[in-house]
Structures are given as structure tokens and as C-alpha cells.
Amino acid sequence: MVLGSVLQPGKLLNLSWYHHTNSLAKKARQHLYHLRRLRDFRLPSKVLRNLYACTIESILTGNITVWFGNSIKQDRQALQRVVCSAERITHTELPDLQTIYYK
């Protein structure tokens, strides 16, 4: 068993992190909606930053040591775009995923 899949002899195996990183980006983008709504209620940037760290950043960095080094550049960029969107919403500078990975 590899990555939750049963290996079958004679079949080609596509071991990529695309589906995993795609689902992470989708879930994180869904949480951006809540961040935008709270910004519209004029919550302070510090509160929005804490909400980002507790929800979106925890989604993006779950098991980051396993998948980040093996993912392709396009997958990492898709996740980084979520971080950039959150920066614009919160009006604060947020750590990029590469910094978190090498921390």
C-alpha cells in the first residue's frame, strides 16, 4: 500500500502530489471566504492574522514535511497563491510556505 492505494502488479503507478495539493488549495480557498467576511466587519488585522494562522495556515502546512519537498513547482505555487490572497485580505505580511517548510 502506497499513499492509501493498493499496488497492483503490472499497472503503472502515478505517484504525484497533485491531487493532495489541489485538495489542500481548494479547502484553504473555501476558508478565505470567512476571512473576507470578517474583514468586512472591520475586525483588526491582528485578529484576522490569528484566524488565518488557526485555520488556513494549519490546512496548508499539515504534513508539509512529507509532501512539500516532493511536490512540483506548479503545485507549490497554487498553494502560495492562497497565502498571497490571505495577505491581501488581512493587510499583513504572512510567511510563505517555503519559509515554513525550512523552519
Side-chain angles (χ1 to χ4, degrees), residues 13-86:
L13 198 58
N14 179 11
L15 295 178
S16 107
W17 288 101
Y18 170 77
H19 295 293
H20 177 71
T21 55
N22 191 34
S23 69
L24 288 179
K26 181 179 178 182
K27 186 183 287 189
R29 281 191 305 267
Q30 289 172 345
H31 283 78
L32 285 175
Y33 168 79
H34 302 292
L35 204 59
R36 284 188 193 98
R37 292 289 297 155
L38 291 172
R39 179 201 57 198
D40 293 342
F41 288 118
R42 302 194 189 285
L43 284 176
S45 291
K46 187 174 182 178
V47 174
L48 295 174
R49 166 82 171 82
N50 286 339
L51 179 68
Y52 164 81
C54 293
T55 57
I56 299 169
E57 189 175 275
S58 66
I59 291 168
L60 294 175
T61 59
N63 295 324
I64 194 169
T65 55
V66 174
W67 59 262
F68 189 84
N70 296 317
S71 61
I72 61 174
K73 185 177 179 180
Q74 289 88 354
D75 294 342
R76 292 190 302 264
Q77 286 174 338
L79 296 173
Q80 188 59 41
R81 279 192 296 273
V82 175
V83 175
C84 291
S85 295

